[in-house]
Amino acid sequence: MSKTCNVEVKDSTISGAGRGLFACGDFQPGDLVLAVDRPLFAELDIHRLQDTCAWCFQRAATDPIERAQAASMGLPNGFIEVKACTGCRRISYCSKSCQSKAWKREHKYECKALAPKDRPDLPDAVRSTIKLLGRMKADDGKYDKLATILSFRPFEGGKGVEEFGHRNRKLLEDFNMFGFAAWKYAGEPKMREADSQAVSKAFVLNIMCNKFALSSPLDDTHLGIGFDPMICSANHSCDPNVVLVFNQPVALLRATRPIKKGEEVFMKYIDVTNPFSVRQNELQDTYYFSCQCPKCKKGSSFPVDTFTIPPEELSSEYRTLADKLAQKHEAQLSRFFVPASDETAQQRLAALQAEAFSVSGTVTDVKNPTPEEIKATLKMCIKSGLWKWTRQPVPQLCRQLFSLYIANGDPYRAFRLGCKIYFEITPGLYPQAFYPDRLIDTWAMSTVVNVLCGPRNKQIYDELMQGGVDLRIVYFGFLFDVHDNAPKMFGLDSPFGRVVDNTYKQIMAGVNIHESEIRDKIKAVWPSLEIIARSVDVLSL
């Protein structure tokens, strides 16, 4: 399926960015720009090694309750089983086919290195480099596709190491240590035309600076990291024109807006709905560069940065709170800088932002926040008058709260909050109905509504019906929304698409009215559902 003829690699139009990916034809929103059968390498997070196939990245639910729930909804993780490699006992596979493919391509080079029981789990960049060294040695150091990794920045064939070290001396030392460890674990391989230790360090450096995140669309679970020479040639922009889709293990770039032939292709490396200072710091922390895209050159002048009231209008209650939070987050204030009329106002806004983002997970002050902690933070954001519902981290906090309601077995609260997210929040963040985050959220809503249609929730079902909202029709509305838009992003032949398509076919096989009639009923009930969404008081849920 690999499709790379639609793009080409040339020097980027962004100064100092090095390589860039360019369109060889015109693309419309939803068009496939690039596809690779599997990234050059894909590495699981340490905590996913025991429940996820290291080749196809399909996850198996290991908790009995989660497994039963997943199976009842027809989700793959309710049926998939993974078994550990009998050699190292560290890496797992879902089938003999996946194990065989992995062994032939890469696992045979790392199995012995991972096997010792007293050896701690190795970081993803070290595991990747061990396999890359093995593959290069097997090809006598001439494997061109692997050697291409070394042409990326910051290593750039060796030319960029000094500059990177000047800016990040301690970081370079850490990466060199990882590279040396990978070289030792790989058995200090000898290569006729390369210094394998230097190559190992260069691999780690470029992996850490160019990796992309891999996650499952079925449950929005972060799985690991990947690297591919073609995908990674697409530079970051805070105003991207493509989005990365991971179809386990196929990786795609899909257009999110029209792209003309010869135009540079840009993807996002981080969440670009965040304010300017948050984006800049996250890119610096994760990818070690300052963004120079056209959007960032304009600074904090976009809706994602705008507060609903000027800081001078902040009430005395929230001025006092901000002053207290400024002491709590003193070391973080520069990361959340907001332009304001004076230094005091800047500090207060930064302190309130730091508190909000600490709970949302952008910084790690609060781990696994409770619903009460999230609602308290939302109250601060909304009641202060500064935030609107589409300004981060309010949307992220709402998604967190939605997920917690589902996990805690509270589908009615999840439904009400999900309606607000569906109608009032995500359309403002992602205009395209086929955008991955919107599809994932809508699929989750279809699941929640399906639960509410069950006998355990008859009272809620009847109350909504009396108000003119038939939850059965609402369920069809969310299901049709995902089924209509999935082909433009994940495709119906992907793991996510197959679950959606199979569910759609099973449901439609059980109804005795035509689909067009159902769609008419959806149009009729949708305004009432939107009224519910706009009446939801998240803070009192």
Side-chain angles (χ1 to χ4, degrees):
M1 159 172 189
S2 290
K3 189 173 183 179
T4 59
C5 58
N6 291 336
V7 291
E8 62 178 335
V9 177
K10 299 188 297 185
D11 289 340
S12 175
T13 56
I14 295 182
S15 177
R19 298 160 63 99
L21 197 65
F22 291 80
C24 292
D26 295 338
F27 298 101
Q28 294 301 313
D31 283 352
L32 179 64
V33 175
L34 172 66
V36 296
D37 290 333
R38 189 179 189 274
L40 181 61
F41 67 79
E43 206 66 56
L44 288 168
D45 287 344
I46 288 174
H47 65 281
R48 292 269 77 93
L49 292 176
Q50 299 302 311
D51 67 5
T52 304
C53 178
W55 181 257
C56 72
F57 271 54
Q58 296 292 317
R59 190 173 73 87
T62 53
D63 177 76
I65 296 177
E66 181 194 2
R67 190 170 183 81
Q69 290 175 340
S72 68
M73 294 185 288
L75 299 177
N77 60 329
F79 305 96
I80 290 172
E81 293 185 9
V82 295
K83 295 182 179 179
C85 166
T86 56
C88 64
R89 309 300 301 178
R90 304 280 185 127
I91 306 296
S92 302
Y93 300 101
C94 69
S95 66
K96 290 184 178 179
S97 174
C98 282
Q99 185 174 20
S100 176
K101 291 175 183 176
W103 181 263
K104 291 177 182 177
R105 177 166 164 173
E106 58 188 26
H107 185 56
K108 60 186 175 183
Y109 304 122
E110 68 170 344
C111 191
K112 288 184 178 180
L114 302 180
K117 294 182 180 180
D118 59 346
R119 180 163 292 164
D121 290 318
L122 302 179
D124 45 24
V126 174
R127 282 181 274 133
S128 295
T129 299
I130 291 171
K131 290 184 286 192
L132 292 172
L133 290 172
R135 292 167 68 180
M136 282 196 76
K137 181 183 178 182
D139 199 42
D140 199 20
K142 298 177 182 178
Y143 194 0
D144 293 340
K145 200 170 185 180
L146 296 181
T148 301
I149 299 174
L150 305 182
S151 66
F152 279 78
R153 292 195 173 189
F155 184 73
E156 200 176 14
K159 295 185 296 183
V161 176
E162 185 176 347
E163 179 188 350
F164 185 87
H166 180 72
R167 292 184 287 111
N168 303 279
R169 175 57 56 188
K170 178 61 170 62
L171 201 59
L172 181 60
E173 291 174 357
D174 290 343
F175 290 167
N176 283 341
M177 180 183 67
F178 280 177
F180 179 76
W183 178 72
K184 293 292 287 187
Y185 289 139
E188 302 180 17
K190 304 294 183 183
M191 297 178 189
R192 187 168 54 185
E193 297 183 8
D195 178 346
S196 60
Q197 185 179 151
V199 168
S200 183
K201 293 177 180 179
F203 275 156
V204 169
L205 175 61
N206 275 8
I207 288 168
M208 294 300 293
C209 295
N210 293 280
K211 62 186 183 295
F212 50 81
L214 302 174
S215 60
S216 167
L218 284 167
D219 52 14
D220 208 18
T221 299
H222 181 76
L223 299 173
I225 63 167
F227 181 99
D228 186 84
M230 291 299 292
I231 292 175
C232 291
S233 292
N235 284 302
H236 167 81
S237 172
C238 293
D239 187 22
N241 51 20
V242 300
V243 64
L244 174 66
V245 180
F246 185 50
N247 277 342
Q248 298 164 282
V250 176
L252 314 173
L253 292 181
R254 290 273 192 184
T256 54
R257 65 169 187 250
I259 303 173
K260 293 184 178 181
K261 182 178 180 179
E263 187 178 345
E264 186 164 2
V265 173
F266 293 105
M267 60 188 283
K268 64 171 186 175
Y269 293 0
I270 47 95
D271 187 348
V272 296
T273 65
N274 281 328
F276 169 71
S277 63
V278 177
R279 299 196 312 269
Q280 286 286 334
N281 280 287
E282 188 174 357
L283 285 167
Q284 192 63 246
D285 290 346
T286 310
Y287 293 97
Y288 320 110
F289 72 90
S290 296
C291 185
Q292 298 296 318
C293 74
K295 184 176 181 179
C296 283
K297 285 184 177 180
K298 296 180 181 180
S300 304
S301 59
F302 290 87
V304 296
D305 303 289
T306 305
F307 286 114
T308 54
I309 62 172
E312 294 79 13
E313 296 181 15
L314 198 61
S315 69
S316 60
E317 175 188 355
Y318 285 99
R319 288 199 299 269
T320 300
L321 175 61
D323 291 340
K324 291 180 180 178
L325 292 174
Q327 297 177 19
K328 175 182 176 181
H329 298 291
E330 183 177 3
Q332 297 282 344
L333 293 184
S334 62
R335 300 173 61 86
F336 298 95
F337 171 80
V338 182
S341 57
D342 58 62
E343 187 176 341
T344 300
Q346 287 179 352
Q347 181 167 291
R348 284 173 174 162
L349 293 178
L352 291 170
Q353 279 211 123
E355 176 67 11
F357 276 99
S358 72
V359 177
S360 75
T362 303
V363 295
T364 57
D365 290 33
V366 179
K367 294 182 179 179
N368 301 319
T370 65
E372 290 70 28
E373 289 172 324
I374 293 173
K375 284 195 284 187
T377 307
L378 283 170
K379 180 180 178 181
M380 179 196 75
C381 293
I382 301 303
K383 295 295 185 181
S384 68
L386 291 171
W387 271 266
K388 51 188 175 182
W389 287 100
T390 53
R391 189 191 191 280
Q392 293 289 12
V394 168
Q396 176 59 24
L397 290 165
C398 288
R399 290 188 87 199
Q400 286 177 287
L401 190 58
F402 175 78
S403 297
L404 284 174
Y405 284 148
I406 294 176
N408 294 338
D410 197 340
Y412 183 57
R413 280 191 172 93
F415 166 72
R416 291 179 64 81
L417 177 55
C419 284
K420 188 172 190 70
I421 293 172
Y422 181 86
F423 285 102
E424 289 195 70
I425 297 178
T426 50
L429 297 178
Y430 314 111
Q432 307 90 352
F434 56 81
Y435 199 83
D437 297 69
R438 287 186 68 169
L439 289 174
I440 292 168
D441 288 350
T442 305
W443 174 251
M445 274 298 286
S446 74
T447 303
V448 168
V449 175
N450 190 36
V451 172
L452 289 177
C453 288
R456 291 185 179 181
N457 296 286
K458 187 177 186 304
Q459 182 178 350
I460 294 171
Y461 180 91
D462 291 343
E463 288 176 357
L464 287 168
M465 180 67 84
Q466 291 174 6
V469 176
D470 185 340
L471 283 178
R472 293 171 300 176
I473 300 302
V474 172
Y475 171 73
F476 277 111
F478 288 128
L479 178 61
F480 285 3
D481 190 343
V482 180
H483 191 262
D484 291 347
N485 288 292
K488 291 185 178 181
M489 188 53 58
F490 298 101
L492 294 181
D493 59 344
S494 67
F496 178 76
R498 285 192 290 272
V499 170
V500 172
D501 195 40
N502 289 339
T503 303
Y504 167 83
K505 290 176 179 176
Q506 290 172 9
I507 295 298
M508 294 306 297
V511 299
N512 54 12
I513 59 175
H514 195 271
E515 182 175 325
S516 61
E517 186 176 345
I518 297 175
R519 290 185 180 270
D520 288 340
K521 291 178 179 291
I522 292 170
K523 290 180 181 179
V525 79
W526 230 237
S528 298
L529 192 64
E530 186 170 357
I531 290 173
I532 291 177
R534 298 191 182 282
S535 68
V536 170
D537 182 358
V538 176
L539 305 182
S540 65
L541 278 177

